[in-house]
Amino acid sequence: MDPLDFIADYLSDHEEGMKNLIAAFLNKVMIIEALQQAGAIPYERTDARKAYRNGYKNRSLKTRYGELTLQKPQFREFPFETQVFGRYARVEKALVNAVVESYLQGVSTRRVQEIVAHLGIEHLSPASVSRMAKDLDEQVQAFLLRPIEQATPYLFVDASYYRVREGVRYVTKAVLVVAGVREDGYREILGARITDCENEAFWSGLFEDLKERGLTGVQLVVSDGHTGIQKAAEAAFLGASWQMCQVHCTRAVLKNIAKKDQSEVAEWLREAYGSEQNLQKVADHLNARGYRKAANTIERFLPGLMSYTAFPKKHWKRLRTTNMVERVNKELKRRTKVAEIFPNDESLLRVVGSILMDINEEWVASRKYLTMGEE
């Protein structure tokens, strides 16, 4: 199918267009997998060939856009293996599970009922939901509790927020994601935890859990300015330092700046980052103009705004902010949008954990995030 045809489908019918696009992409993925497993392209004569193709078998896959019919390649000599159904379905199952749990608890809205019908799961029984949850929970827990096998000099922490049902109330809870850059330069998702409290005791407990799983070699912890994280990081990782994310610092300062002056102040901060003296000058200037709270914010975070400069200059761009893990949280929000409200903490962690597993697999398979050592 020509790419222009996909665009035409998408413009005329958004959901049908997305189904066609996803199906085409996943079929292409399986063709590439088949070429790798066969060791040769179709009709190629080569001693490297391991198997001959034997047509296709239709296989359905339920997604948030509806049910897809995919063409799974077949071999004569041995079964064809693909990651498409396992990896893609894992997240879909977690999302379906969250939606159906709400539905079965009798607290679903008309919107949730529409999603349930759209996903084709009107008749999913409580027993099926329970079995699905148990299987996913085992996978997620194995991932979140796995040993950390490499030293991790750079640690990044950030949060995203979700609505969760507690009894008859709906409350906002934070999902904290901890990621790191290992000594070999690759990124890794190290852990995730749901919390409604971000004090020093919470952070200390989280960091101790990571250490018990094998986390070593931490030299820098990059985060926003949540209360207690700096003290907890310095206590848990002796000899390590804390870096305040410059993006979060700018946001915190601008909250106390009149809208008409925000662009100018943001530019001052961009130019001052990297120099403690220049940052202090910005704080003094803001204080002189009557922006005392903004000046105090800079001075409060100043001890943690320069830590990244103690590391190789080639790493500075990556270490100044939490952008690496913020992109993870943005992906979590995008892919959990269909659930809207989660019925409990367990359901939220099930979905988030499944998505983090996918992201981690992609990171390990991609190129290095940083060039380390003498490379």
Side-chain angles (χ1 to χ4, degrees):
M1 190 173 183
D2 187 276
L4 292 177
D5 293 332
F6 286 121
I7 295 174
D9 280 352
Y10 182 83
L11 293 175
S12 63
D13 186 335
H14 173 71
E15 292 197 359
E16 190 63 28
M18 284 300 298
K19 285 175 62 177
N20 291 337
L21 183 59
I22 294 171
F25 172 75
L26 295 179
N27 281 332
K28 188 66 174 178
V29 169
M30 288 191 286
I31 289 174
I32 299 300
E33 289 177 319
L35 292 176
Q36 293 173 344
Q37 292 174 39
I41 62 175
Y43 309 112
E44 180 184 12
R45 295 181 181 275
T46 172
D47 294 336
R49 180 181 291 279
K50 301 174 185 177
Y52 288 88
R53 299 282 292 277
N54 189 29
Y56 297 88
K57 182 178 181 181
N58 287 342
R59 172 80 183 271
S60 62
L61 175 66
K62 287 185 177 179
T63 76
R64 74 197 68 177
Y65 294 102
E67 186 170 307
L68 308 179
T69 299
L70 304 180
Q71 292 186 310
K72 183 181 177 183
Q74 301 292 298
F75 291 139
R76 295 174 185 170
E77 290 78 5
F78 51 78
F80 167 71
E81 296 182 359
T82 177
Q83 297 185 48
V84 166
F85 296 99
R87 289 188 58 192
Y88 197 89
R90 182 169 60 211
V91 177
E92 293 298 330
K93 284 180 181 178
L95 286 168
V96 166
N97 187 271
V99 173
V100 175
E101 276 190 300
S102 292
Y103 185 66
L104 293 175
Q105 287 180 16
V107 297
S108 59
T109 64
R110 182 176 58 82
R111 170 64 179 150
V112 171
Q113 292 173 349
E114 289 173 356
I115 294 171
V116 169
H118 178 65
L119 290 170
I121 52 177
E122 301 98 321
H123 305 297
L124 197 58
S125 68
S128 298
V129 174
S130 179
R131 286 194 299 271
M132 187 189 301
K134 181 180 179 181
D135 179 57
L136 289 167
D137 286 344
E138 289 174 354
Q139 295 181 49
V140 168
Q141 287 302 310
F143 172 68
L144 295 178
L145 298 178
R146 73 194 188 285
I148 300 172
E149 298 177 341
Q150 286 202 35
T152 308
Y154 303 136
L155 213 61
F156 296 80
V157 184
D158 196 35
S160 55
Y161 300 89
Y162 304 84
R163 294 181 68 195
V164 181
R165 188 171 188 262
E166 278 193 352
V168 297
R169 297 192 309 141
Y170 292 94
V171 299
T172 300
K173 295 199 175 185
V175 173
L176 278 298
V177 176
V178 181
V181 179
R182 308 182 316 206
E183 60 183 353
D184 62 2
Y186 284 96
R187 294 173 289 174
E188 184 175 2
I189 301 291
L190 299 172
R193 182 174 292 187
I194 298 172
T195 180
D196 51 12
C197 175
E198 296 183 56
N199 57 24
E200 184 179 347
F202 165 78
W203 289 109
S204 296
L206 176 59
F207 291 149
E208 289 303 319
D209 285 349
L210 293 173
K211 288 166 63 178
E212 287 178 7
R213 289 172 44 214
L215 179 63
T216 59
V218 176
Q219 299 176 38
L220 183 69
V221 179
V222 188
S223 76
D224 59 18
H226 274 106
T227 304
I229 189 169
Q230 180 179 4
K231 291 182 179 179
E234 291 173 349
F237 308 113
L238 295 179
S241 51
W242 172 70
Q243 170 66 40
M244 171 65 179
C245 171
Q246 291 180 357
V247 173
H248 283 90
C249 181
T250 298
R251 291 173 186 165
V253 172
L254 295 183
K255 284 181 181 179
N256 299 298
I257 301 294
K259 191 171 183 180
K260 64 183 178 66
D261 295 328
Q262 287 183 356
S263 296
E264 183 181 26
V265 174
E267 183 60 31
W268 292 349
L269 288 169
R270 276 193 293 271
E271 293 177 355
Y273 284 133
S275 168
E276 186 172 354
Q277 184 179 9
N278 290 342
L279 284 167
Q280 186 60 59
K281 286 181 179 179
V282 172
D284 292 341
H285 188 52
L286 290 174
N287 188 57
R289 290 183 57 173
Y291 289 125
R292 185 178 300 276
K293 287 186 178 180
N296 290 342
T297 298
I298 295 175
E299 292 175 342
R300 185 171 78 253
F301 292 135
L302 192 54
L305 285 170
M306 301 297 299
S307 298
Y308 73 98
T309 60
F311 298 90
K313 194 168 185 178
K314 61 186 177 181
H315 297 170
W316 285 7
K317 185 177 180 181
R318 304 287 200 187
L319 301 182
R320 293 184 297 107
T321 70
T322 56
N323 283 355
M324 182 183 86
V325 72
E326 275 203 24
R327 285 192 287 268
V328 171
N329 281 326
K330 187 177 292 186
E331 180 67 4
L332 291 178
K333 296 295 285 187
R334 184 185 72 82
R335 296 175 70 176
T336 57
K337 190 175 180 180
V338 68
E340 297 184 347
I341 299 174
F342 289 87
N344 47 54
D345 287 1
E346 292 77 12
S347 180
L348 173 57
L349 187 61
R350 192 176 300 136
V351 175
V352 167
S354 298
I355 297 170
L356 291 177
M357 291 170 70
D358 277 1
I359 292 173
N360 193 67
E361 289 171 4
E362 291 166 5
W363 278 2
V364 173
S366 65
R367 64 182 182 178
K368 294 182 179 181
Y369 189 68
L370 288 175
T371 302
M372 310 294 277
E374 299 299 322
E375 295 179 55

